[in-house]
Amino acid sequence: MDAEKITEGIKHKFLLINGLSQKKAEIISDEVGVSKVQLQHAVQETFDLAELDGILQVFSRDFDDFIDIDDDETLAGPAKVRLNRETNPATRPGVQILPVTLNVSSEDLPVDYHCEQPGPSREQVEVITAFMEGSSTSSSSTGSAEFSPARSASGCSRFRVPPQTPTLEHKLREGGDAMSESERGLFLDTIYDEVTKTYGVYYPTKGNYETVLEKIFKKYPRMMTPTGNMTSGNKKMLWKHRLLYKFRNKRKRVHGQLEAVQQRKLKTVRRPRPAQTSEPVSLQWGMVNYLPHRDASEDDNSVASHHKWLIVEKKKRQPDYRMVRCCMEKTLADRRKWIISDQPAVAAVKERYPWLFDQDQILLEMDRIKGDGTEIRAELLAGLHKYGFALIQRGKCKKRTHPFFADAVATWNGREEDTDAVVIPALLAIPGELKEGVERIFVAEDAETDSPVFIKLDSVTPGKASEFTLIADGQEVAQTADFATAVSMWISAFYVFGMDYSGCAPRSLEFLQRILLNISDELSPSPSILRLTNLLNITK
């Protein structure tokens, strides 16, 4: 099956914001994301605007603020998009614009100082001017690059990319994609050292990061050249993440004893915390708190009647599957409320809702929870077809491979053009890429595991298995002869039963959730997920 056909007609949900007005919108795209042009049309239609008189911005969880959307950037929902009309400070009431003429070099432009408070004093203007010229009074007396609040405000304004080794310089000028992880680390180390030692900034602001990236891309413009599915906007965001992680890790490992870093840490450590009054809730995955509303035509009596009918119908040899599906939809709201609120054991769920332990119904329940009209199995196949070849190639390059993966690759060799043949080896490669054991997911016959949710095989490897049995919390859920269906049921179990996923290859689950199934939650992606996605986009 062609991956491009599978992804055709993907719905992306957005919250559009225009001033005080907020409206939901769905944009259907045949790509994995929505272009800026499509978003502009959606904003105009949603708010009935003749033309856009502002800048479109998307909310970034990493920076906790809205950032401009690049012309070639693609966005996948759900996401918040804002029409920012405050692009010209002069148009806002109460804003006083004070021109500050500086003695700048010929390559710099005049600077306007914008202030929304009463105009600064002459002494304040002198301090600002001295700082922008690189001679801040806060550091002139010591002559060192120690951190100071004044310098951290905009101390990277004159940042220059430090010189690199000839090998790194060549690779950077070629776009940087050929750099190894260690070479990329060395390059980011030079950026960190330049910002901290020369400018004394250990906690860069959003503007500092933007300045640094702008200077990097100006010196190495090919780093912004789109490659594969990575647009210029996506590449810019990727390098932002890399800088953020570099500064965070270096502050912790190298400069943790500096006064500037200790001050930040102390604010967090000494913050009073409320006393814990209840048991901590287990980590949940994705849309665990999804609680739909009961249909207006239903009440307690009708829901109880549907539930009773489902119990009786489950015992019949030839049940009415059409009516089963209808009654399962009508009882969804009450079922989800009970599972999420009471957090019952899987055995209790099996006794009360036996139809969830059916191959078709557990997948349909997942589709009902998602509510976007897509089928989880089709979404999974689309993602595996998209990244399958890259996953297999990376897995084959490892010095040590798991026997499950090695067996699947041996079967796949010679069938590279068969899109269906890529599914098994591609999925088996994911845990190894994220340093997790694939045996936490697939358990061979006669083998044992302490994983709460796993797929039991009737053979020694998934590639040779003819039957897959999903086990959740010691309960047999359903059986299938199809590999993709088995994995889809395994993923669905965490949603349907509201289970803790921390003991079941959590990084692999997050990769499947975010990258292959396009399901987002309120948390930022893990660094390992961003790293793997970047490597796969380069390998493709």
Side-chain angles (χ1 to χ4, degrees):
M1 187 180 296
D2 192 346
E4 293 182 358
K5 293 182 180 179
I6 297 177
T7 57
E8 183 176 2
I10 295 178
K11 289 184 179 179
H12 297 274
K13 298 181 180 181
F14 293 92
L15 177 64
L16 304 181
I17 304 173
N18 180 23
L20 299 178
S21 179
Q22 300 184 2
K23 296 184 179 181
K24 294 187 292 185
E26 288 187 353
I27 303 177
I28 300 177
S29 174
D30 56 356
E31 302 290 340
V32 295
V34 176
S35 66
K36 183 177 181 180
V37 174
Q38 290 175 297
L39 284 170
Q40 289 172 335
H41 291 321
V43 171
Q44 287 183 270
E45 293 178 2
T46 303
F47 299 107
D48 195 21
L49 302 175
E51 60 180 7
L52 293 180
D53 54 349
I55 296 176
L56 282 186
Q57 298 177 320
V58 63
F59 186 79
S60 170
R61 295 187 180 95
D62 297 300
F63 298 100
D64 197 27
D65 201 355
F66 284 88
I67 59 176
D68 295 350
I69 301 175
D70 295 334
D71 293 336
D72 57 351
E73 189 174 1
T74 57
L75 299 175
K80 294 181 182 179
V81 175
R82 176 179 74 176
L83 177 61
N84 184 6
R85 299 186 177 185
E86 297 182 347
T87 56
N88 183 3
T91 62
R92 294 188 301 224
V95 176
Q96 183 179 4
I97 301 180
L98 302 175
V100 180
T101 305
L102 307 177
N103 295 324
V104 297
S105 61
S106 58
E107 62 180 2
D108 292 326
L109 296 175
V111 178
D112 287 341
Y113 175 74
H114 303 288
C115 179
E116 298 186 15
Q117 303 296 332
S121 65
R122 180 174 181 179
E123 180 182 359
Q124 290 174 316
V125 173
E126 290 175 351
V127 171
I128 295 170
T129 305
F131 167 67
M132 294 297 289
E133 293 176 338
S135 57
S136 173
T137 58
S138 63
S139 60
S140 59
S141 59
T142 63
S144 66
E146 288 295 325
F147 173 88
S148 68
R151 296 189 69 183
S152 67
S154 57
C156 299
S157 58
R158 293 197 172 192
F159 170 82
R160 295 185 184 278
V161 180
Q164 307 294 322
T165 63
T167 301
L168 275 181
E169 186 74 18
H170 173 72
K171 291 185 177 181
L172 287 167
R173 293 194 180 279
E174 292 298 318
D177 294 335
M179 287 193 300
S180 64
E181 291 184 55
S182 59
E183 289 174 330
R184 187 166 60 240
L186 290 173
F187 169 64
L188 293 174
D189 282 338
T190 64
I191 302 298
Y192 177 85
D193 292 340
E194 179 72 11
V195 173
T196 56
K197 295 179 180 179
T198 305
Y199 303 97
V201 178
Y202 290 91
Y203 289 89
T205 64
K206 177 183 176 181
N208 294 153
Y209 282 117
E210 292 288 346
T211 299
V212 171
L213 287 170
E214 180 183 348
K215 297 296 180 65
I216 292 175
F217 295 142
K218 183 177 181 180
K219 184 174 182 179
Y220 307 113
R222 296 189 67 175
M223 291 178 67
M224 289 289 287
T225 304
T227 56
N229 291 331
M230 292 286 286
T231 64
S232 297
N234 290 338
K235 280 198 165 186
K236 181 179 180 181
M237 183 60 68
L238 180 63
W239 280 102
K240 279 185 180 179
H241 282 294
R242 288 171 174 168
L243 279 175
L244 282 167
Y245 295 134
K246 174 58 67 174
F247 272 81
R248 182 185 305 168
N249 293 334
K250 291 278 280 190
R251 284 196 304 262
K252 180 178 180 181
R253 299 175 183 175
V254 181
H255 293 130
Q257 300 304 317
L258 283 180
E259 182 181 356
V261 179
Q262 285 294 318
Q263 287 177 351
R264 291 288 189 105
K265 288 184 176 180
L266 289 174
K267 289 181 180 179
T268 302
V269 172
R270 292 182 176 176
R271 184 177 299 165
R273 297 180 179 179
Q276 186 170 318
T277 58
S278 60
E279 291 292 328
V281 179
S282 298
L283 289 175
Q284 303 290 339
W285 182 48
M287 299 176 292
V288 66
N289 293 319
Y290 172 75
L291 293 173
H293 296 289
R294 180 192 284 179
D295 192 280
S297 62
E298 303 294 335
D299 55 24
D300 291 344
N301 293 331
S302 64
V303 170
S305 177
H306 296 321
H307 184 214
K308 182 178 180 180
W309 182 88
L310 285 168
I311 296 293
V312 174
E313 199 70 9
K314 182 63 177 176
K315 300 177 182 179
K316 294 182 178 180
R317 292 185 177 180
Q318 294 182 337
D320 186 343
Y321 289 105
R322 185 184 65 82
M323 283 300 299
V324 168
R325 182 169 182 171
C326 179
C327 289
M328 288 293 286
E329 291 175 353
K330 291 179 180 295
T331 56
L332 174 64
D334 292 77
R335 183 165 57 254
R336 293 302 298 166
K337 182 178 180 180
W338 176 65
I339 291 175
I340 298 305
S341 301
D342 293 3
Q343 296 186 352
V346 176
V349 178
K350 188 173 186 177
E351 180 180 357
R352 187 166 180 175
Y353 294 103
W355 277 107
L356 289 179
F357 294 76
D358 173 84
Q359 171 187 323
D360 294 331
Q361 284 302 320
I362 189 173
L363 296 180
L364 287 171
E365 185 81 349
M366 179 64 177
D367 296 339
R368 285 189 284 264
I369 292 173
K370 289 172 59 183
D372 57 3
T374 61
E375 297 180 357
I376 180 175
R377 185 179 181 277
E379 291 286 299
L380 177 66
L381 288 174
L384 289 173
H385 289 158
K386 177 180 178 181
Y387 291 105
F389 182 78
L391 283 166
I392 295 173
Q393 293 304 314
R394 286 192 54 79
K396 290 170 66 176
C397 293
K398 291 187 175 297
K399 294 181 179 179
R400 298 177 60 184
T401 59
H402 196 281
F404 287 0
F405 174 74
D407 176 73
V409 169
T411 305
W412 173 73
N413 287 334
R415 301 175 59 193
E416 288 82 353
E417 300 301 325
D418 185 354
T419 56
D420 291 332
V422 78
V423 172
I424 297 179
L427 195 137
L428 295 177
I430 295 172
E433 288 294 319
L434 296 169
K435 296 179 173 57
E436 292 180 325
V438 68
E439 68 276 1
R440 304 290 297 172
I441 305 173
F442 297 95
V443 179
E445 59 177 350
D446 300 329
E448 296 183 356
T449 182
D450 60 351
S451 180
V453 184
F454 61 91
I455 300 171
K456 188 71 174 178
L457 310 174
D458 66 348
S459 181
V460 293
T461 66
K464 290 183 170 62
S466 59
E467 186 174 79
F468 306 88
T469 304
L470 177 64
I471 307 294
D473 200 15
Q475 300 293 317
E476 181 177 318
V477 179
Q479 292 182 341
T480 181
D482 179 67
F483 178 85
T485 301
V487 177
S488 300
M489 292 194 303
W490 178 72
I491 299 171
S492 301
F494 295 93
Y495 285 99
V496 173
F497 303 129
M499 297 189 68
D500 180 355
Y501 70 91
S502 58
C504 306
R507 291 186 293 275
S508 298
L509 276 168
E510 184 181 354
F511 180 82
L512 292 169
Q513 171 196 353
R514 296 182 184 278
I515 309 304
L516 299 192
L517 298 177
N518 296 314
I519 298 175
S520 300
D521 53 27
E522 296 179 356
L523 303 177
S524 300
S526 301
S528 58
I529 304 302
L530 292 172
R531 170 186 166 278
L532 177 57
T533 306
N534 176 45
L535 292 173
L536 294 177
N537 283 317
I538 293 173
T539 306
K540 285 193 304 181

